[in-house]
Amino acid sequence: LERIYRAMLENKDRLHIHTIDSFLNHLFKQAVAPYLGIYRYTIVEEEKNKEIAAEVFKKMLDNPDDFALMEKFLADNPERDIDHYLGLIDEILKNRWKFLLIQRRPRASLPSSGPVPALEETIRLAREAAAAKGCPWNEFLCKEFQGILPQYLEDLPAMASQEKEEFILKHRHAFLSRPFWNGNKLRGKEWEGVKEELLGRYEEFRRELATCIHNREMIPYEEEIFRFSNRIFELYDRIKLKTKEFSPTDISNYTYLYLNDGNLGLLKDGKASAYLFELLGAEVKTLFIDEFQDTSILQWKILQPLLEGKVRVIAVGDEKQSIYGWRGGEKELFAGLDRILGGKSERLKTCYRSEREITGFVNRFCRRLAAAGWDYEDVEHLPAKTGGYVEILLGGTALKTATDTKA
């Protein structure tokens, strides 16, 4: 650190200081915006995007094809309140970074013989156990299944496997919640082997049922999610490129989206190209990142190509001070950064800012966080800082009390 600090002082003209947002804005302005034909734009607050979500919703309502797509996607969750749909579109737009990182590929169906054979084998074993026990079949079943299984066995044709599968899916919650037999009927050591075999067969049935749900419902639903969200992003992008108003989240999303576009030439074999460093105005030798706990996963993904090679990284942060979770800030990313980079971590064990009363209160409070799984060690105050004052406002109107924070 001392060597790097000395080099910084001696080469101030080579030192570039940015907030993470200004750095990404610089990258967007120099490379992405011109590629999109944008040479002047306005940076707006995130709240402004709620208006865009409403405009996207209106455009989908006005277009028959878009309306049909939305209607199909929302068929299982209809709502009368229009705010529900506006909120859904707003949430999809807020979480666009997750869609960008998924890099979705078509999902193949899982191999399965279906839930019907597995269930009927379990039923066969259960009936044998009931007969051996001398217990009537209906009494052998637990109460919840006394109306389900007789209907399955008696009302459906012997060879109608499709109808049986539909019946099982209809009653999935019952089948997945517990076995269909009364466990009290198999008490005693002499029945342990039978019970174990029954449970093994039933677990096999539940795996087949889960696979059936995955193949028949989850894969198509996932496709609908991406089809619907992609259309939202398409309409959103049209509006954004027309208005030329971008929030910091927009700039992060578009920078990541076009970072790997070969036409821009920003990366070469996954590493920052000479052209990218030219746009940045310097080649990165050492990267300092302060308040790293507020760096989002997407922002980190954008920074990573700059770190390939012999780049020194020094990141400073405190998971407890993470305040940007609403826009993707991820404290766990900082907590595991030493493992990600293959580096080492050091703790600042002395607080140079706060007085004794404040550090003491923070230590007492954060020890409880440590008990809940947070990684925390007490910090010391400077010997000269023996004062301090802490006041706690707990809930309700007390939190609205006007406080002079500079006093």
Side-chain angles (χ1 to χ4, degrees):
L1 277 174
E2 290 178 357
R3 184 175 67 255
I4 294 171
Y5 179 60
R6 191 179 305 112
M8 287 169 57
L9 295 177
E10 294 171 354
N11 301 276
K12 291 182 180 180
D13 58 318
R14 296 171 59 190
L15 184 63
H16 296 256
I17 301 176
H18 298 274
T19 65
I20 186 68
D21 285 334
S22 70
F23 175 78
L24 295 183
N25 182 48
H26 178 71
L27 199 54
F28 177 79
K29 184 177 182 179
Q30 295 296 320
V32 179
Y35 179 72
L36 298 174
I38 298 172
Y39 299 95
R40 295 185 66 182
Y41 59 88
T42 304
I43 298 177
V44 297
E45 297 292 332
E46 300 291 346
E47 193 69 19
K48 181 78 172 176
N49 283 346
K50 285 191 175 181
E51 299 174 16
I52 309 299
E55 192 172 345
V56 169
F57 182 53
K58 183 178 182 303
K59 286 182 177 294
M60 296 195 80
L61 290 177
D62 291 342
N63 184 297
D65 291 337
D66 289 338
F67 181 78
L69 177 64
M70 182 166 60
E71 189 176 37
K72 184 178 180 182
F73 175 72
L74 298 171
D76 293 332
N77 298 285
E79 287 280 346
R80 294 182 181 273
D81 187 358
I82 195 171
D83 288 338
H84 169 80
Y85 301 115
L86 288 171
L88 174 63
I89 292 174
D90 187 47
E91 280 301 307
I92 289 174
L93 290 170
K94 284 180 180 176
N95 288 281
R96 186 176 189 175
W97 66 274
K98 296 177 183 177
F99 288 87
L100 291 172
L101 293 177
I102 287 173
Q103 297 180 340
R104 179 180 174 267
R105 299 179 182 87
R107 194 183 297 275
S109 296
L110 297 174
S112 173
S113 58
V116 174
L119 176 60
E120 296 195 344
E121 175 62 16
T122 310
I123 291 173
R124 184 189 66 79
L125 289 172
R127 282 186 137 169
E128 288 180 1
K133 186 80 175 177
C135 178
W137 174 241
N138 202 51
E139 293 180 16
F140 190 77
L141 301 175
C142 65
K143 188 174 182 180
E144 186 177 0
F145 284 93
Q146 287 176 359
I148 296 176
L149 278 189
Q151 185 181 354
Y152 175 85
L153 294 170
E154 297 166 12
D155 296 350
L156 297 175
M159 299 303 292
S161 60
Q162 185 63 35
E163 287 86 344
K164 289 183 176 181
E165 188 171 289
E166 295 295 340
F167 183 90
I168 293 170
L169 288 171
K170 179 182 177 181
H171 297 281
R172 70 183 72 182
H173 297 297
F175 283 116
L176 291 173
S177 64
R178 57 159 300 161
F180 57 76
W181 60 89
N182 186 340
N184 291 329
K185 301 297 182 181
L186 292 176
R187 283 184 173 179
K189 285 188 176 182
E190 67 273 23
W191 299 102
E192 285 183 359
V194 175
K195 185 190 291 187
E196 185 177 342
E197 185 178 7
L198 261 177
L199 288 172
R201 292 289 186 179
Y202 196 72
E203 187 59 32
E204 180 183 335
F205 156 69
R206 288 204 282 200
R207 284 196 297 269
E208 290 290 346
L209 175 54
T211 302
C212 177
I213 294 171
H214 174 270
N215 292 343
R216 287 189 51 175
E217 298 179 14
M218 297 308 297
I219 291 178
Y221 186 63
E222 182 184 69
E223 291 172 355
E224 287 298 324
I225 290 174
F226 280 95
R227 192 177 296 115
F228 181 61
S229 60
N230 286 340
R231 182 55 180 161
I232 289 173
F233 299 146
E234 184 180 341
L235 293 171
Y236 180 84
D237 291 347
R238 287 182 188 176
I239 296 169
K240 283 290 178 177
L241 296 179
K242 182 179 179 180
T243 62
K244 299 178 177 59
E245 294 181 342
F246 303 99
S247 70
T249 297
D250 291 327
I251 289 172
S252 292
N253 287 339
Y254 289 129
T255 301
Y256 180 80
L257 183 62
Y258 289 98
L259 188 65
N260 290 286
D261 191 315
N263 293 321
L264 271 74
L266 300 177
L267 301 184
K268 185 177 181 181
D269 299 327
K271 301 178 182 179
S273 66
Y275 174 59
L276 176 54
F277 286 126
E278 181 182 332
L279 293 176
L280 296 177
E283 187 173 349
V284 178
K285 297 293 186 183
T286 302
L287 184 66
F288 289 88
I289 307 175
D290 195 12
E291 304 291 357
F292 190 93
Q293 75 279 351
D294 291 323
T295 302
S296 73
I297 294 174
L298 190 69
Q299 290 168 340
W300 176 244
K301 287 286 188 181
I302 295 170
L303 291 175
Q304 273 188 311
L306 302 175
L307 310 181
E308 298 293 336
K310 297 180 180 179
V311 177
R312 292 167 292 195
V313 180
I314 299 173
V316 180
D318 182 352
E319 304 100 291
K320 300 183 301 307
Q321 296 184 41
S322 181
I323 60 173
Y324 284 102
W326 55 272
R327 71 170 195 184
E330 178 54 71
K331 67 180 182 63
E332 296 298 334
L333 177 62
F334 177 64
L337 191 61
D338 53 351
R339 296 189 301 274
I340 294 171
L341 293 175
K344 63 178 181 178
S345 62
E346 297 180 9
R347 295 181 182 274
L348 182 62
K349 297 182 179 180
T350 301
C351 178
Y352 292 83
R353 175 187 297 172
S354 300
E355 301 282 342
R356 178 182 62 193
E357 290 300 317
I358 297 172
T359 56
F361 170 77
V362 170
N363 284 334
R364 292 191 298 274
F365 181 85
C366 290
R367 284 180 204 132
R368 299 194 177 200
L369 294 179
W374 287 65
D375 187 12
Y376 182 76
E377 293 181 8
D378 283 4
V379 295
E380 300 292 333
H381 60 86
L382 291 175
K385 291 183 176 286
T386 58
Y389 173 75
V390 176
E391 180 180 0
I392 302 173
L393 303 180
L394 295 176
T397 56
L399 291 179
K400 299 179 181 178
T401 301
T403 303
D404 182 1
T405 58
K406 294 183 179 180

